[in-house]
Amino acid sequence: KYSCTLNFDDDSIDVVGRLVAIDCQDTLEMILNRGKGVNLEELQSIYRHPLDPFQISAATSLIEGKSVVVSAPTSSGKTLVAEAAAVAMLSQGKRLIYTTPLKALSNQKLLELRAIFGDQRVGLRTGDAAVLMEADIVVMTTEILRNMLYSLDDERMETVGCVVLDEVHYLGDPDRGTVWEECIIYCPKNIQILALSATVGNPEDLAGWIGDMRTPQVAVHVVSEGPDNSMPACSLVTSSTRPVPLKWLFSQRGASFFSSP
């Protein structure tokens, strides 16, 4: 259902779970190159299947310029939201940084994103490699982003429109969690944050905190008459639907597996 096989003769690769169909590449290129942004209908036209409700909600918030926290089960399609963020940024002439907690996962995301956006649009920065650091999309480990944010004069951040924090539940890691905290705290307020996780325990608190960090601070609080119609700086999008069901198996010596009753 969620597979798309692309022809090697077309400089593409087999991508399990990546949903951009080869016959939609012309549409994608048109959206990315015209420099006028993207709307939800155009985003949907890139994919050969309808977007799920949580994907629509998250994509809508991103297009509106908000930060987003997405809490949804594994294999439910969170990466598609990151792809939507990339389309939204590149279609405005902005760049996107995609962070992961592991070098192996960064390498995997590099291949996946290159299959969609092309080799020249996606770069990589880990402790072991630096490839196309000026590309429109750069995949990196979260520590690399943190180090970039320490350098307040890093020109590479000037054109970034969105930072993706994949596996954001690492915030709770006693050894590395401060890295994610510092990325959220030091990330310039004009940059949207997309936080993805299947297991974050307090998504409401996380979205509220990110929203507070993304809201510009003013010296004078102005009280206006009437209701407050301001929009939150960060949206929370959750889903409990698990498209790939969990099945418990019990193993015995000799590689025999038995399903639970």
Side-chain angles (χ1 to χ4, degrees), residues 158-169:
E158 293 180 359
T159 55
V160 174
C162 181
V163 166
V164 179
L165 298 176
D166 202 355
E167 311 293 353
V168 74
H169 53 267

Side-chain angles (χ1 to χ4, degrees), residues 54 70-78 197-199 238-244:
F54 87 91
V70 178
S71 175
T74 301
S75 299
S76 60
K78 294 186 296 296
S197 177
T199 59
T238 63
S239 174
S240 58
T241 302
R242 184 180 293 277
V244 180

Side-chain angles (χ1 to χ4, degrees), residues 182-257:
E182 290 174 340
C183 286
I184 294 171
I185 292 171
Y186 294 127
C187 188
K189 289 180 170 56
N190 62 301
I191 296 178
Q192 295 170 248
I193 290 179
L194 172 59
L196 307 175
S197 177
T199 59
V200 64
N202 54 339
E204 297 87 358
D205 295 336
L206 176 60
W209 178 56
I210 291 177
D212 290 342
M213 298 305 301
R214 312 319 295 157
T215 302
Q217 301 297 314
V218 294
V220 178
H221 176 63
V222 179
V223 179
S224 60
E225 296 182 359
D228 182 5
N229 295 320
S230 60
M231 300 296 290
C234 183
S235 298
L236 171 62
V237 178
T238 63
S239 174
S240 58
T241 302
R242 184 180 293 277
V244 180
L246 294 179
K247 184 177 182 180
W248 292 96
L249 297 175
F250 299 89
S251 64
Q252 290 185 342
R253 185 177 298 175
S256 298
F257 291 90

Side-chain angles (χ1 to χ4, degrees), residues 46-61:
I46 300 172
Y47 296 93
R48 60 170 59 185
H49 70 95
L51 300 186
D52 290 338
F54 87 91
Q55 294 169 335
I56 293 174
S57 297
T60 299
S61 292

Side-chain angles (χ1 to χ4, degrees), residues 28-153:
L28 176 61
E29 287 298 319
M30 180 272 292
I31 292 172
L32 297 183
N33 292 328
R34 70 183 180 186
K36 295 183 179 180
V38 65
N39 59 45
L40 188 61
E41 182 179 356
E42 291 170 332
L43 187 63
Q44 173 66 82
S45 71
I46 300 172
Y47 296 93
R48 60 170 59 185
H49 70 95
L51 300 186
D52 290 338
F54 87 91
Q55 294 169 335
I56 293 174
S57 297
T60 299
S61 292
L62 288 166
I63 292 172
E64 292 175 349
K66 302 176 187 176
S67 293
V68 183
V69 172
V70 178
S71 175
T74 301
S75 299
S76 60
K78 294 186 296 296
T79 301
L80 185 145
V81 179
E83 296 168 5
V87 173
M89 295 304 111
L90 271 59
S91 66
Q92 302 175 60
K94 300 178 182 179
R95 301 170 61 231
L96 177 135
I97 291 177
Y98 192 116
T99 71
T100 81
L102 305 171
K103 288 185 286 187
L105 185 55
S106 293
N107 293 333
Q108 174 188 332
K109 293 301 178 183
L110 172 72
L111 296 177
E112 293 178 358
L113 291 169
R114 280 188 167 184
I116 298 170
F117 296 98
D119 290 355
Q120 297 305 310
R121 281 203 176 105
V122 187
L124 175 71
R125 181 69 173 93
T126 66
D128 298 331
V131 181
L132 293 176
M133 280 293 290
E134 304 302 325
D136 294 333
I137 303 169
V138 181
V139 184
M140 61 183 65
T141 48
T142 316
E143 280 83 358
I144 296 293
L145 173 62
R146 188 268 310 271
N147 294 341
M148 289 174 60
L149 292 173
Y150 279 169
S151 303
L152 299 179
D153 59 346

